[in-house]
Structures are given as C-alpha cells and as structure tokens.
Amino acid sequence: MSAYLRPMIDDLYSARILSLAANLPHAGRLPAPQGTGERVAKLCGSRATVDVTLDDAGRIADFGQDVKACALGQAAAGVLGQSVIGASVDDLKDARDAMIAMLKSGGDGPVGRFEDLRLLKQVADYPARRASTLVSIEATLEAVNKALAARTRLAGAA
C-alpha cells in the first residue's frame, strides 16, 4: 500500500469506527416482528435485515438486526442499534436524509439521537463506500413502514 493511501484509510477506519463495527447492538432477528426490512448495497454486497416491533405511539419498541457488511456498514449499524429504541419513523427519515446529504453534498450529518452517524462523514470522500453505510437505516425505515402499514390494515379491518 502506498504511503499516500495509508493515512487516508487509517482515518476512514478509525478506532472508534472499528469499535462500533465490532460491537453490534441488537444483533439477531426478533422472534415475532411486526415489520421486517432488508437492504443490499449493490456495489459491495453489504446487507442488512432488520426486524421491529412498535409501541402504541408507533415508535420502535424492539429491534433486531442481522448485518453482513464492511466495517463502515457495521459501524453505521452499531450507531443505529445504540439509539433506535424509541425512534419514530420521522426520526429515522430525518437521520437518513441528513446522512445522504452528508455523504453526497457536504451536509453536516444527523443531529439528535443519531448524531454519532457523523463519525462516518469521511465516507463522503469514498463514493464506493457510501451505500454500505446506509443499508441499516434504509432497512429499518422499511421495517417500520411495513409495521405501520400492517397496523393500519388491521385497524381498517376491525
């Protein structure tokens, strides 16, 4: 590896990012999810499958994730797992949108409960790595939306 690339890669894979990647909160699947989402980053194959149950207010009450991703994708999933219990669909959308803006157009990144996703700001300089950092939050949004849709169908049938 060239001397030029090593510092950039060392910065990208910081000790904090590697620690988050190695310690994935809520790892595994839920036995009876209300909603399940799955996302795959086509370029690298990073994959996240997420299960959720919601409380009466539509916030995440229980969460499980099965993530097969590079260290950056695992780190993003680690941040998500630390803060996702109690999150609403709007919290997730705001974090996802801020993450996309941070990675693609120089935005500051998420605030509030998902602010630690800012640790991945340097991924913006590596377009091939961006999608892997989004698979977990995208899968979580899909799972929550499916759970909310199922709840609406059940309420309409009652």
Side-chain angles (χ1 to χ4, degrees):
M1 181 179 300
S2 77
Y4 175 72
L5 286 178
R6 185 174 306 280
M8 290 189 326
I9 288 175
D10 288 348
D11 289 344
L12 188 59
Y13 294 99
S14 69
R16 177 74 173 126
I17 286 175
L18 293 175
S19 175
L20 284 166
N23 300 297
L24 193 65
H26 302 283
R29 304 289 307 271
L30 296 181
Q34 295 172 337
T36 297
E38 183 175 77
R39 284 292 191 272
V40 177
K42 292 176 184 155
L43 187 61
C44 67
S46 290
R47 174 186 304 270
T49 304
V50 170
D51 296 322
V52 298
T53 61
L54 305 178
D55 64 17
D56 292 340
R59 295 181 178 276
I60 295 175
D62 202 3
F63 175 83
Q65 59 181 342
D66 181 22
V67 181
K68 307 289 188 245
C70 66
L72 299 171
Q74 290 279 134
V79 170
L80 187 74
Q82 289 176 347
S83 305
V84 75
I85 301 298
S88 69
V89 69
D90 289 335
D91 294 335
L92 291 163
K93 284 179 186 175
D94 290 346
R96 188 257 336 258
D97 293 347
M99 186 78 173
I100 291 170
M102 178 181 80
L103 294 173
K104 295 185 178 181
S105 58
D108 291 332
V111 295
R113 76 170 54 236
F114 299 113
E115 188 168 329
D116 281 351
L117 287 169
R118 290 177 174 206
L119 293 168
L120 298 162
K121 188 171 181 83
Q122 291 178 313
V123 175
D125 296 334
Y126 302 89
R129 302 280 194 229
R130 294 176 187 165
S132 68
T133 63
L134 295 168
V135 293
S136 288
I137 198 162
E138 291 283 359
T140 303
L141 265 169
E142 180 183 357
V144 170
N145 284 327
K146 284 182 176 179
L148 290 170
R151 182 177 285 183
T152 300
R153 280 193 304 276
L154 286 174

